[in-house]
Amino acid sequence: MSQTAARPAPSTADKPVVPPRRSPPWRDRFSRWDVKASPYLYIAPFFLVFGVVGLFPLLYTGYVSMFDWELGADHPEFIGFGNYVELFGDDQFYKTLTNTVSIFLLSSGPQVVIAVLLAALLNARLRLPTAWRVGVLLPYAASLVAIGIIFANLFGPHYGLVNSVFELFGLDRVDWQANRFASHIAIAIMVNWRWTGYNALIILAAMKAIPQQVHEAAVVDGASPVRRFFAITLPLLRPTLIFVVVTSTIGGLQIFTEPKLFDAMPGSNNGGSTNQFQTVTLYMYQTAFESQHFGYASAMAWVLFLVILVVASLNFLLTRRLAR
Amino acid sequence: MKRAGFWTYGLLGAFVLGSAFPFYWSYLVASRDSGMLTDRLPPLVPGGNFWANAQRVFDSVEFWKALVNSVVVAGSVTFSTVLFSTLAGFAFAKLRFRGRDPLFLFVVATLAVPTQLGIIPLYMSMADFGWVGGLAAVTVPSLVTALGVFWMRQYTVDAVPFELVEAARVDGCSMIRIYWHVCLPAVRPAAAFLGMFTFMTAWNDFLWPLIVLDAGNPTVQVALEKLQSGYYVDYSLVLAGTTLATIPVLVVFVALGRQIVAGIMQGAVKG
């Protein structure tokens, strides 16, 4: 490491032997400063960036929500909780909130169940286990925009492949965009398509961590595979299931890209002609960046934030209880 | 454990086919012309028009510029996230300083903050800086993430022995050299995974670039959205665009799939 300390003393035989020189005082000072300050320097970038793009905007959103804040207005008018009062009387907001929750339930429910089953399949002794895992994770590489466009095409009302297949089997065509519930299902399928494999791998990792002896003991006691799954595997997966459910709640309630691109008339971008699949984040985006009512949109953001907190905590408690 | 049987392979195979199908569909439409979509049941083998459709993508939107922009944005975000996360992870895992534990707890707590909800003031700040429309507005907010710091700290705790750090200190090594010569080599696998993960996330990001960039200076995702949002949608054109935008990520993903899978599974156990 440091070369100076190891250098042999010069051959000065006639002089009395002096101990090797310690490092010069500026080095000591630097070294002390280095030990003290470096940790703070190393963690500073995160706190700076988070302060500027995370914490400050969140608080400032609350501040902006108290004003009648339009783009370009020099002196926004302070209206206190006016925006919130208006928001709670806004039918469109309720509709978007209902849509968001509906899409969220249709996506994360099946997603967790399928992910657990998929993880159980992947946990079997497979040939080429890595290849299967990569295959299952494939959708994760796709961009949401590409997926949104591809699925909007697949679920197209006239020429979409899904309707063609429906017809082939003698079923009725479904207008996936116009029908409110059908549109929610289609969007949920998009979400599930992308995230199920990812969650399955996280759950698989937790399954692998379950000690083999526990299962063997249960086998000796005569427990069937199904019984073992419900009595051993599921309870031991609890922390991971909580993690998966809570992260998918936070993501699922902010859903934006899928509904934005899922439109038969893509130019309109409004989440359907009667807002039948408009989500809160999409409504917020339009209010802020198309209509430029920043104050009103900020109130929406804060309400959504609170909703996410409440639903995530509820899910946390629920998952803890269910997977005893 | 028993060897996997027919049903296991059958179900897994069906799932993987379902995972791959939308990609295939996208290429299928992109390699023909939109007329195929009016057929009762479309042909299921690709046609030969992919390059012609791809050429039209480059003619319709600023696709070259979008590709370059995406590479620049995703590249710099990846570089800085890996650098700052490994530094912070090293500090939190191996250095002693006042307030370390509460500060780390704070980092973990910020994981729960949905940053999407702060976009309005963030946009206002970017407008004040005069950054709107430029790549800095897209890059700066993602220079380092709580997830990255958390991930690297968890890994560094086990991967770097305290003795090694102490020994280097006694030898008079400066902190930054300990980071460079002791810590970084030991945490390379985790850092590599963080890099891939960050690159994919940045490449695929949509909402924020859509807000701060305009059609003249887009990232790939914004350009794709522009392709699609006309009154008449030419699906062969649009899906040629999505194919072009997906291929690079898909290639990287398949090439590094083993590491990505290992990374996700490792994080799950530790997290």
Side-chain angles (χ1 to χ4, degrees):
Chain A
M1 309 279 163
S2 177
Q3 292 299 312
T4 45
R7 193 181 294 155
S11 56
T12 44
D14 49 344
K15 282 185 181 170
V17 178
V18 287
R21 286 267 307 263
R22 282 187 47 81
S23 48
W26 68 265
R27 262 200 92 114
D28 276 354
R29 267 210 306 278
F30 170 76
S31 163
R32 269 200 304 275
W33 175 88
D34 186 28
V35 170
K36 266 215 160 82
S38 290
Y40 295 107
L41 278 181
Y42 299 167
I43 63 172
F46 168 75
F47 287 92
L48 265 173
V49 171
F50 177 75
V52 174
V53 306
L55 195 59
F56 162 74
L58 198 71
L59 300 176
Y60 201 64
T61 305
Y63 176 76
V64 174
S65 75
M66 300 286 180
F67 289 84
D68 185 13
W69 202 307
E70 314 280 314
L71 186 78
D74 282 338
H75 300 287
E77 187 194 345
F78 180 80
I79 51 170
F81 287 98
N83 282 323
Y84 292 91
V85 173
E86 198 187 332
L87 194 63
F88 287 121
D90 181 350
D91 286 342
Q92 194 176 349
F93 179 69
Y94 285 112
K95 194 165 187 184
T96 57
L97 196 58
T98 315
N99 291 345
T100 308
V101 172
S102 160
I103 294 171
F104 162 67
L105 290 176
L106 285 170
S107 56
S108 41
Q111 194 182 117
V112 174
V113 174
I114 299 174
V116 171
L117 294 177
L118 192 58
L121 291 177
L122 288 169
N123 201 23
R125 272 176 56 197
L126 296 166
R127 282 172 203 285
L128 303 173
T130 313
W132 287 109
R133 291 176 197 168
V134 173
V136 161
L137 192 64
L138 199 63
Y140 186 68
S143 83
L144 283 178
V145 178
I147 289 321
I149 294 173
I150 294 169
F151 275 72
N153 175 253
L154 286 172
F155 284 102
H158 303 299
Y159 310 125
L161 182 69
V162 176
N163 272 346
S164 303
V165 172
F166 269 34
E167 240 174 23
L168 200 69
F169 287 100
L171 297 163
D172 286 336
R173 289 174 168 274
V174 176
D175 194 333
W176 296 98
Q177 272 86 8
N179 182 306
R180 190 176 185 194
F181 189 61
S183 68
H184 293 184
I185 291 182
I187 292 172
I189 289 177
M190 260 189 256
V191 177
N192 289 342
W193 182 78
R194 187 152 195 261
W195 291 105
T196 305
Y198 175 86
N199 285 327
L201 285 187
I202 290 181
I203 295 168
L204 173 64
M207 277 185 187
K208 292 243 177 264
I210 298 175
Q212 198 56 49
Q213 295 95 305
V214 183
H215 273 291
E216 279 160 11
V219 171
V220 172
D221 288 347
S224 69
V226 176
R227 179 84 199 276
R228 272 182 286 141
F229 181 76
F230 283 103
I232 300 175
T233 313
L234 223 44
L236 287 174
L237 287 180
R238 190 173 71 181
T240 311
L241 289 181
I242 291 178
F243 172 80
V244 168
V245 168
V246 170
T247 49
S248 70
T249 307
I250 295 174
L253 291 177
Q254 297 183 75
I255 184 168
F256 167 80
T257 309
E258 294 92 339
K260 182 166 192 332
L261 296 165
F262 188 69
D263 208 308
M265 272 272 290
S268 53
N269 286 336
N270 59 3
S273 48
T274 55
N275 311 315
Q276 66 271 26
F277 53 90
Q278 189 176 39
T279 58
V280 177
T281 311
L282 186 50
Y283 187 29
M284 178 185 97
Y285 167 83
Q286 279 155 358
T287 308
F289 299 104
E290 284 168 15
S291 316
Q292 314 201 312
H293 299 305
F294 285 144
Y296 196 54
S298 296
M300 245 179 258
W302 255 93
V303 173
L304 183 59
F305 178 49
L306 295 180
V307 170
I308 289 175
L309 276 187
V310 170
V311 178
S313 332
L314 271 180
N315 275 338
F316 175 76
L317 294 174
L318 202 71
T319 320
R320 217 167 61 160
R321 182 155 274 234
L322 284 182
R324 258 178 308 117
Chain B
M1 225 183 297
K2 278 198 314 203
R3 274 222 159 272
F6 171 76
W7 280 107
T8 310
Y9 282 114
L11 286 172
L12 277 177
F15 194 91
V16 171
L17 278 183
S19 298
F21 182 73
F23 295 113
Y24 181 68
W25 176 254
S26 163
Y27 177 70
L28 194 69
V29 180
S31 65
R32 293 176 168 269
D33 62 72
S34 292
M36 76 165 263
L37 291 169
T38 56
D39 294 350
R40 229 191 145 158
L41 205 60
L44 290 179
V45 284
N49 287 343
F50 180 74
W51 291 113
N53 287 326
Q55 189 55 49
R56 290 195 297 138
V57 171
F58 287 100
D59 295 339
S60 310
V61 286
E62 297 267 14
F63 210 75
W64 278 121
K65 194 166 187 183
L67 278 172
V68 173
N69 280 348
S70 279
V71 168
V72 169
V73 168
S76 32
V77 165
T78 303
F79 176 77
S80 91
T81 301
V82 170
L83 175 71
F84 291 142
S85 300
T86 46
L87 270 172
F90 171 57
F92 277 127
K94 294 293 151 182
L95 304 182
R96 271 178 279 267
F97 55 98
R98 202 184 262 277
R100 181 179 75 171
D101 295 341
L103 284 172
F104 184 65
L105 208 65
F106 181 79
V107 174
V108 175
T110 65
L111 282 171
V113 177
T115 44
Q116 255 200 32
L117 298 182
I119 51 176
I120 294 165
L122 194 57
Y123 175 80
M124 288 156 63
S125 319
M126 293 297 162
D128 284 345
F129 297 158
W131 285 2
V132 171
L135 294 187
V138 189
T139 312
V140 171
S142 0
L143 283 179
V144 56
T145 58
L147 197 66
V149 174
F150 175 74
W151 166 253
M152 287 316 306
R153 187 261 178 194
Q154 298 304 85
Y155 193 86
T156 312
V157 165
D158 295 335
V160 183
F162 265 116
E163 294 80 14
L164 220 55
V165 177
E166 283 303 312
R169 280 254 322 265
V170 170
D171 284 352
C173 210
S174 70
M175 284 296 164
I176 199 73
R177 285 186 62 180
I178 300 178
Y179 161 76
W180 190 257
H181 291 292
V182 176
C183 175
L184 258 196
V187 301
R188 208 152 56 193
F193 172 69
L194 179 64
M196 290 182 294
F197 182 83
T198 310
F199 191 90
M200 276 165 55
T201 311
W203 181 271
N204 290 332
D205 192 17
F206 176 56
L207 174 59
W208 181 242
L210 178 71
I211 291 170
V212 289
L213 295 181
D214 52 57
N217 190 31
T219 58
V220 167
Q221 310 301 331
V222 177
L224 283 186
E225 200 262 352
K226 288 288 169 288
L227 265 187
Q228 193 234 16
S229 57
Y231 283 103
Y232 166 73
V233 183
D234 177 349
Y235 270 111
S236 292
L237 170 73
V238 174
L239 293 180
T242 63
T243 307
L244 284 176
T246 310
I247 286 175
V249 192
L250 220 52
V251 167
V252 171
F253 181 83
V254 171
L256 303 174
R258 175 186 283 273
Q259 276 87 346
I260 294 175
V261 164
I264 285 178
M265 293 195 44
Q266 188 181 45
V269 175
K270 299 165 71 78

